[in-house]
Amino acid sequence: YPQQHFRLGQRLHTHEQRLSKHANTLPCSLQAPGVAAAEPGGDEQGQGAAGEVRVSRRRWAVLLLFSSYSLCNAFQWIQYGSINNVFMRFYGVSAFAIDWLSMSYMLTYIPLLFPVAWLLDKRGLRLIALTGSALNALGAWVKLGSLRPHLFPVTVLGQVICSLAQVFILGMPSYIASVWFGSREVSTACSIAVFGNQLGIALGFLVPPVLVPNVEDVEKLAYHISIMFFMTAGVATALFILVVIVFKEKPPYPPSQAQALIQSRPTVEYSYVQSILRLLRNANFVLLMVTYGLNTGCFYSLSTLLNRMVIHHYPGKEVNAGRIGLTIVLSGMAGALLSGLWLDRTKTYKQTTLVVYIMSLVGMIVYTFTLSLGHLWVVFVTAGVLGFFMTGYLPLGFEFAAELTYPESEGTSSGLLNVSAQIFGIAFTISQGQIMDHYGTKAGNLFLCSFLLLGTIMTAFIKADLQRQQANAENECTVSNSPSIPVAPLLLAQDNPQPSSLLGMGLALSELQL
């Protein structure tokens, strides 16, 4: 290893320290005793520069639990917008007021990101998970107090509490993936973590139109709404209890060489404010932050206003409007999974992100011009194509940001991406809603197309500076099957001419590879 890698707090044995004195004279890194290559399937075991590297069996339980309470929170985000017309009539409010129930998620995230990201860095992952799942359950129970038409302020309060929970959830996928998963699993894990949120949105499109039919009787309508609210509160409470029992701060050992180096860094060396400033001075990350915001903001606006779009062209088709939203999200989940698998295999972050962005633009254009044709099956097909790429882009942005900004905290970089998404989401939802009211749905969708075109152009200018991959490559030593060259005993003998048991520990190194 280069000499500076040994200053990051790693605890090495005496013979490793002796080898480090000669590291700069060798053509590549030397593998210390006990270092093993990554096993098939992506699990890494052995001892890296900062200590032992090993993946934990608990990682999948942690990932599944996070995805589950993220699902529940995302469901509560879109449960009003997916039956916008029903809640308008029940509470006697405008469409814009119901839209704000969704936009409250975006609004509360912006000022609270930095305090929550600071809390994540100072207090750790477990506290963030407990707080997020607790607020999610609390908001769900508060909504049960809003089952009368005059209690709209109570449902607003419950939704705001759920939106606070979202601040503790939305930026976590890449952080959990990095802390718990090995370098060959990290992109797939991030995609699965994002899956929970996307599946929650999918269920939010599918379930409310089924549980809450558009009936005329207000008492019956209140009964159907109460069933949905009770089910949500029960699930959210059960997930909070599981978080208390199962969720841990981090695994016993770092899962990758890059994570080992981060964990070995002295605490006093890290400054949260300086980390943010470094991110904002990173031109590639700033470009990604803007383009991510444009793409995700378009998705937020499309999701919030989808019911209004479909009902305008296909009156009385509330259930089909929800199914179209479900199609968008489910196809996006497939796109996200395939993207994660592709990235783990190829590491082509820039190329994959650009292709997915271009296809999101194409899908949005096709959807815009087929929505008004009068054939619902065409809308289902075009919405599925759009969702595959637009929703599939979300984990790509997280992982690309983690690569561009390593060794900065993934929670901070993901948080900045999400702030950008919330700002653009609010602006696009309000603007598109007004354009639809005055000029029709086609003009509103063309408005989104113009910004996707801008995002595609900006994405092309991002340079693929994959710093996390470089760190993993520098810390993984390749041992060939060539005949051994007894370098280590010779180096040790220079510093210690007396017989030592270290010389009998099998310290021969294989042929060095450039």
Side-chain angles (χ1 to χ4, degrees):
Y1 296 103
Q3 192 69 29
Q4 62 266 29
H5 282 229
F6 287 94
R7 301 194 186 108
L8 297 178
Q10 62 268 59
R11 297 179 178 179
L12 302 177
H13 297 295
T14 303
H15 58 275
E16 293 175 300
Q17 294 173 339
R18 293 184 183 277
L19 283 173
S20 71
K21 297 179 182 180
H22 301 273
N24 288 330
T25 65
L26 298 175
C28 76
S29 304
L30 296 180
Q31 182 167 9
V35 178
E39 294 181 351
D43 288 1
E44 297 176 57
Q45 294 182 335
Q47 183 171 340
E52 187 171 1
V53 172
R54 183 186 304 171
V55 292
S56 170
R57 294 180 180 178
R58 185 186 287 264
R59 67 192 187 280
W60 296 109
V62 170
L63 183 64
L64 178 61
L65 186 55
F66 170 79
S67 295
S68 298
Y69 74 79
S70 177
L71 177 154
C72 185
N73 184 257
F75 174 86
Q76 297 194 76
W77 168 60
I78 204 64
Q79 68 181 165
Y80 295 99
S82 62
I83 47 175
N84 184 291
N85 57 323
V86 175
F87 278 108
M88 282 173 56
R89 189 166 58 82
F90 180 75
Y91 288 116
V93 297
S94 67
F96 190 62
I98 301 299
D99 290 344
W100 267 110
L101 290 175
S102 295
M103 288 189 288
S104 65
Y105 266 57
M106 310 175 202
L107 187 63
T108 56
Y109 188 88
I110 297 170
L112 294 178
L113 160 69
F114 296 112
V116 171
W118 176 85
L119 194 63
L120 172 64
D121 288 324
K122 295 299 182 182
R123 299 299 300 274
L125 186 60
R126 177 173 166 81
L127 177 64
I128 298 299
L130 288 171
T131 306
S133 57
L135 287 172
N136 187 55
L138 177 62
W141 285 107
V142 169
K143 291 179 183 180
L144 281 166
S146 66
L147 297 176
R148 291 290 181 269
H150 65 282
L151 295 176
F152 183 68
V154 178
T155 210
V156 171
L157 175 62
Q159 187 74 342
V160 169
I161 294 174
C162 291
S163 71
L164 294 176
Q166 179 222 209
V167 185
F168 293 84
I169 295 172
L170 203 57
M172 299 305 295
S174 61
Y175 190 90
I176 290 176
S178 293
V179 170
W180 281 90
F181 287 83
S183 61
R184 296 187 183 181
E185 299 173 332
V186 65
S187 294
T188 303
C190 184
S191 296
I192 294 173
V194 174
F195 264 17
N197 189 272
Q198 298 307 304
L199 184 57
I201 298 173
L203 293 177
F205 279 118
L206 177 66
V207 175
V210 175
L211 293 181
V212 188
N214 191 8
V215 297
E216 295 295 331
D217 189 293
V218 175
E219 290 299 323
K220 289 184 178 179
L221 192 56
Y223 170 74
H224 290 301
I225 293 174
S226 70
I227 292 176
M228 180 174 68
F229 285 172
F230 265 117
M231 290 175 60
T232 307
V235 171
T237 303
L239 289 172
F240 169 67
I241 294 172
L242 286 175
V243 169
V244 173
I245 298 172
V246 175
F247 218 95
K248 299 298 181 183
E249 179 65 35
K250 60 182 180 180
Y253 301 97
S256 67
Q257 302 288 356
Q259 193 62 214
L261 287 174
I262 289 178
Q263 293 183 14
S264 69
R265 178 177 55 195
T267 305
V268 295
E269 182 182 322
Y270 182 76
S271 169
Y272 176 69
V273 175
Q274 290 299 318
S275 175
I276 295 176
L277 293 177
R278 285 192 296 269
L279 290 175
L280 296 178
R281 288 194 295 263
N282 185 330
N284 291 320
F285 175 73
V286 171
L287 280 174
L288 179 62
M289 185 171 66
V290 174
T291 57
Y292 182 89
L294 291 172
N295 189 300
T296 311
C298 288
F299 171 71
Y300 288 163
S301 179
L302 182 68
S303 301
T304 302
L305 302 174
L306 181 64
N307 176 267
R308 290 170 59 183
M309 292 183 201
V310 176
I311 296 300
H312 176 77
H313 292 287
Y314 307 91
K317 298 294 184 180
E318 291 90 355
V319 174
N320 277 319
R323 289 171 179 169
I324 291 171
L326 174 69
T327 301
I328 291 175
V329 179
L330 289 182
S331 60
M333 291 171 62
L337 177 60
L338 292 177
S339 297
L341 294 172
W342 176 258
L343 287 182
D344 277 334
R345 178 177 294 272
T346 66
K347 308 302 180 183
T348 54
Y349 291 86
K350 164 68 179 294
Q351 299 90 326
T352 305
T353 301
L354 182 58
V355 169
V356 170
Y357 218 117
I358 292 172
M359 295 307 298
S360 298
L361 171 61
V362 173
M364 188 67 202
I365 293 173
V366 174
Y367 170 80
T368 299
F369 287 98
T370 57
L371 179 62
S372 58
L373 292 181
H375 302 290
L376 266 175
W377 69 268
V378 175
V379 179
F380 272 96
V381 172
T382 56
V385 174
L386 171 62
F388 182 86
F389 294 104
M390 180 177 283
T391 313
Y393 172 82
L394 301 182
L396 285 178
F398 283 139
E399 280 303 291
F400 198 10
E403 292 292 339
L404 293 175
T405 60
Y406 178 86
E408 307 297 342
S409 169
E410 291 86 358
T412 307
S413 61
S414 297
L416 289 173
L417 290 185
N418 283 318
V419 163
S420 177
Q422 312 309 321
I423 292 173
F424 283 112
I426 293 173
F428 288 169
T429 302
I430 295 174
S431 301
Q432 187 184 10
Q434 293 298 312
I435 293 172
M436 286 169 53
D437 290 341
H438 292 87
Y439 303 103
T441 57
K442 183 175 292 185
N445 286 328
L446 287 174
F447 168 79
L448 297 184
C449 290
S450 64
F451 283 98
L452 286 175
L453 175 61
L454 175 62
T456 301
I457 296 172
M458 294 179 68
T459 300
F461 287 95
I462 300 175
K463 295 181 179 179
D465 184 16
L466 308 181
Q467 299 184 39
R468 185 172 65 179
Q469 292 303 317
Q470 294 172 7
N472 278 321
E474 289 174 0
N475 285 280
E476 289 178 356
C477 301
T478 304
V479 181
S480 71
N481 294 324
S482 303
S484 297
I485 301 177
V487 177
L490 293 176
L491 296 179
L492 289 171
Q494 290 180 356
D495 290 332
N496 185 9
Q498 298 177 358
S500 171
S501 60
L502 288 178
L503 300 180
M505 291 176 63
L507 293 181
L509 301 176
S510 67
E511 183 178 11
L512 301 175
Q513 294 181 331
L514 289 175

